[in-house]
Amino acid sequence: FDELILFAFTVFIFFVGCCVLPSAHFVLGVMLFPGCVFGGGVEVGAYCELRSHVVLEPFTRLGRSCLIHAHAVLGADGFGFFPLENGMPLKIPQIGRVVIGDEVELGAMVTVDRATLKTTSIGEGTKMDNHVHIGHNSQIGRFGLFAAGFMCAGSVKIGDYFRCGGDVVVADHVSICDHVTVGGRSAVTKDITVPGAYLGYPLEPWHQGLRNLQQLTHLTEMRKELNRLKKRLD
C-alpha cells in the first residue's frame, strides 16, 4: 500500500509542468517539482528530490536520496574547442555522461558538465553550495563540502573529504589528494599531494598564507620607510 501511495505521488508530480522523455528511468519515491526537464537515458535513484527547473541532460545518472536544488543543470556540454588555422574555435563533441553518487546535495544553479568521452562524477555524500561549476571529465571524491562560487576546469581530480571556502578556483588537469582544505578565494594551479589546509594565490600552507596576508596590510608603510632610508643613504 505504501508503495502505491509513493507511485501515485510521483506520477502526480510528473504532470506539473515537467518534461520527461519515455526512455528516462525513475523508481518509487522520487519527488519532482514543477518545470524539471529530463533527457533520454536519464536514471534517477530512489527517494531523490529535484526542485523546480532542474535539467538532467541525456544519460545523466543520480544515485539514491539526492537533493538537487532549483535551476541546476547536470550533463550540459563540456567546454571543449580546438582552434583551426584561421583561429576559429572548432567545437569538440561531448558525448560522455554525468554520474552522481548516493546522498549528494547540489545547490541552486550548480552546473556539472558531461565528459568528452567517459564520465564526469561526484562521489557519495558530497554537498555543494549554490553557483558551483564542475568542468568536464572531472572526478570529485566522496563527502566533500564545496562553498558557493567554487569552480574547477576540466579533467580535475579531487579526493575524498575535500573542504573549501567560497570562490575557490582549480585549474584544469590538477589533482588534489584526500583530506585537503582550501581557504576562500584561493587558486589551485598545481597538484596537492600532501593532506592539510592551504590558502592564497599562489597557494601556500595555511599558517604561512595567513602570515603573508597579514604582511600585505603593512606593505605601503614598509615602502615609505624604505624610501626614507634610501634618501638618508644618498
Side-chain angles (χ1 to χ4, degrees):
F1 180 74
D2 291 340
E3 291 185 350
L4 288 176
I5 293 176
L6 287 172
F7 179 74
F9 180 71
T10 303
V11 171
F12 172 75
I13 295 297
F14 278 162
F15 287 97
V16 187
C18 293
C19 177
V20 182
L21 293 187
S23 56
H25 176 70
F26 295 83
V27 298
L28 296 177
V30 174
M31 183 182 297
L32 304 180
F33 283 65
C36 294
V37 178
F38 304 93
V42 164
E43 300 177 37
V44 179
Y47 308 110
C48 285
E49 181 177 339
L50 283 74
R51 301 284 173 83
S52 300
H53 302 285
V54 169
V55 177
L56 302 185
E57 295 283 354
F59 303 107
T60 297
R61 181 182 181 276
L62 294 184
R64 63 183 286 125
S65 302
C66 292
L67 173 57
I68 313 298
H69 289 272
H71 296 280
V73 179
L74 311 184
D77 280 1
F79 192 72
F81 295 89
F82 181 81
L84 301 176
E85 292 182 359
N86 63 359
M88 172 71 74
L90 176 66
K91 185 177 179 64
I92 299 172
Q94 307 290 300
I95 59 175
R97 64 185 303 203
V98 169
V99 175
I100 309 296
D102 296 339
E103 299 186 21
V104 169
E105 180 172 346
L106 304 181
M109 302 285 188
V110 167
T111 56
V112 182
D113 291 345
R114 68 172 174 264
T116 304
L117 294 174
K118 296 182 180 179
T119 301
T120 302
S121 66
I122 296 177
E124 68 171 309
T126 290
K127 316 296 182 184
M128 293 184 177
D129 199 354
N130 304 329
H131 297 279
V132 168
H133 173 75
I134 305 298
H136 62 176
N137 307 320
S138 294
Q139 311 293 312
I140 308 300
R142 302 174 301 148
F143 310 121
L145 289 175
F146 295 75
F150 174 89
M151 294 186 293
C152 72
S155 301
V156 165
K157 185 176 181 181
I158 298 177
D160 299 339
Y161 306 101
F162 179 78
R163 305 285 187 267
C164 75
D167 293 330
V168 169
V169 177
V170 181
D172 60 289
H173 294 86
V174 165
S175 293
I176 300 175
C177 65
D178 297 343
H179 298 284
V180 166
T181 298
V182 177
R185 296 201 170 185
S186 299
V188 185
T189 59
K190 297 180 180 179
D191 292 353
I192 300 177
T193 58
V194 178
Y198 297 85
L199 179 67
Y201 176 67
L203 201 70
E204 299 175 301
W206 186 269
H207 294 294
Q208 182 177 340
L210 286 178
R211 287 196 296 268
N212 289 337
L213 284 175
Q214 291 172 349
Q215 292 171 2
L216 285 176
T217 61
H218 303 293
L219 280 181
T220 301
E221 295 177 4
M222 292 171 64
R223 289 180 61 185
K224 290 179 179 179
E225 183 64 25
L226 182 60
N227 287 332
R228 285 194 292 268
L229 291 173
K230 284 183 177 180
K231 289 179 180 179
R232 291 181 182 179
L233 292 174
D234 292 340

